[in-house]
Amino acid sequence: MGRRRQSVTIKHVAADAGVSLQTVSRVINNEPNVRPAMKERVQASIDKLGYVPSIAAQRMSGSRSYIILALNDRDLTIADWKAREGRDWVDQMLLGGMETCAAHGYRMLIELVDTHNDHVERELGAAIAALQPDGVILTPPHSENSLITGLLADRGIPFARIGTTQPGPGFAITMGDTHNARLATDHLIELGHERIGFIAGPADFSLSDRRINGWKAGMDDAELPTEGLCERGDFGFESGTHAAKKLLELDNPPTAIIASSDQMTLATLEVARKRGLDVPKDLSLVSFDNSPIVRFTQPPLTAVDQPIAATTSRAVELLIEARRKAPPEGVISVFGELVVRGSTARAPRA
């Protein structure tokens, strides 16, 4: 039986680089006052020996845990996982967050917290006590929950509030909801559509109103009507079905509809077909999210690509930097893009 390979430690790195343990520690922890030449020398030894810093040892040697904690809504997340309908919010969040954490020697963990739980403070307090995160990422609707933001602020933990523009502790970062809705609206206007319906999300998500504002701004600038053309859903398929029926049963129905989630857009596509409408000949559709499923519908859906990974990555960067400098003032926006596919076409002639 071969001998077990001895683990590479900080002592081996220091000996190979010919420096002190303290110098290696400063390089590993990315501390200031380390000369570039010395940093390169130590990093060369780390790469040569294949040394991997121990998070446990790092935590014992300083005040950092090297953990970024992301909080997601328990009910919504579990419902999405069980439905297995192609939603990839958590996947994209972990992609952006984990890659950026790894690049800085951190780890990202996700916890599911029930927003409506009367014991949310105790539940979150237990997670914080166990993990001692260096920073926390809040996703909607947690990002606007004063109990959660207040608890984090009281404990002095840096945190990012994704999907909100409301003032408060921590820093707010959005995915450009107003801008993204305007992108979708302008695309349809350029195709000649004059009656463009909008299916918004629920009122308890502030991003829903920002998307309505983007749609209205585009319509107003083009001097097009919006009265009676906006319905709300809850981002789910059933609510999208109800909203689409109301819009398409109007005496003068829209020739295009923007829906605030892929599930609500899929529902609209089904309602349109049952009414004998051809997409995109009779009705153009634009979705939000751009989850994998929209590429495999017939026709594939034009969609606003939500920059979930990029937004989470930016939040992680700012949380890590928070030890050295304050985040930028005001709301930080990471804009999405419109991916044009086969569900949009020129407006049908009157």
Side-chain angles (χ1 to χ4, degrees), residues 17 20 28 42 48 75 86 108 148 170 186 211 217 235 245 267-268 271 288 291 299 311 315 327 329:
S20 67
I28 292 171
V42 172
K48 171 185 172 183
D75 290 345
M108 183 173 178
I148 294 176
D186 287 347
R211 292 178 183 178
F235 298 127
K245 285 181 178 179
T268 305
V271 170
F288 265 79
S291 58
T311 302
E329 294 184 0

Side-chain angles (χ1 to χ4, degrees), residues 88-347:
D88 65 345
W89 167 274
V90 174
D91 290 347
Q92 289 297 308
M93 185 174 66
L94 291 176
L95 169 63
M98 293 178 75
E99 281 193 330
T100 305
C101 278
H104 293 274
Y106 280 68
R107 296 294 183 271
M108 183 173 178
L109 300 177
I110 184 170
E111 285 280 323
L112 302 182
V113 176
D114 184 359
T115 300
H116 306 291
N117 189 338
D118 293 336
H119 306 294
V120 64
E121 290 180 279
R122 185 176 66 188
E123 188 176 339
L124 179 56
I128 290 172
L131 300 171
Q132 300 176 21
D134 288 336
V136 174
I137 295 174
L138 303 178
T139 60
H142 296 326
S143 48
E144 294 180 342
N145 186 318
S146 59
L147 288 176
I148 294 176
T149 59
L151 184 148
L152 294 173
D154 289 344
R155 300 197 180 192
I157 300 173
F159 61 96
R161 296 180 288 120
I162 290 181
T164 181
T165 59
Q166 292 183 2
F171 61 88
I173 181 168
T174 77
M175 289 181 279
D177 297 290
T178 303
H179 170 85
N180 297 342
R182 179 68 186 260
L183 276 181
T185 306
D186 287 347
H187 169 66
L188 293 169
I189 291 173
E190 289 171 2
L191 291 173
H193 293 275
E194 297 182 354
R195 289 186 60 79
I196 300 172
F198 195 87
I199 302 178
D204 54 347
F205 282 70
S206 65
L207 61 85
S208 299
D209 287 339
R210 291 196 297 276
R211 292 178 183 178
I212 292 175
N213 291 340
W215 164 71
K216 279 188 174 180
M219 298 291 280
D220 289 347
D221 285 352
E223 298 182 344
L224 296 175
T226 58
E227 184 69 28
L229 289 173
C230 182
E231 296 292 337
R232 284 192 186 270
D234 61 8
F235 298 127
F237 190 92
E238 186 175 346
S239 71
T241 299
H242 179 72
K245 285 181 178 179
K246 292 187 71 173
L247 289 174
L248 293 176
E249 288 172 358
L250 291 172
D251 291 338
N252 187 11
T255 61
I257 293 176
I258 303 167
S260 287
S261 75
D262 288 338
Q263 293 299 316
M264 293 197 297
T265 312
L266 292 173
T268 305
L269 179 62
E270 181 173 292
V271 170
R273 284 177 173 163
K274 287 182 177 179
R275 295 179 65 85
L277 299 175
D278 179 272
V279 175
K281 181 181 177 181
D282 303 314
L283 178 70
S284 285
L285 295 180
V286 179
S287 183
F288 265 79
D289 293 340
N290 197 36
S291 58
I293 195 170
V294 302
R295 291 174 290 166
F296 304 110
T297 59
Q298 288 300 323
L301 295 176
T302 293
V304 172
D305 187 68
Q306 292 283 82
I308 302 167
T311 302
T312 309
S313 174
R314 182 65 178 137
V316 167
E317 290 175 346
L318 291 171
L319 288 172
I320 292 174
E321 293 174 359
R323 290 179 60 89
R324 302 191 302 272
K325 61 181 180 179
E329 294 184 0
V331 178
I332 302 156
S333 294
V334 180
F335 297 125
E337 297 179 350
L338 185 69
V339 181
V340 179
R341 299 191 180 94
S343 67
T344 51
R346 294 205 62 79

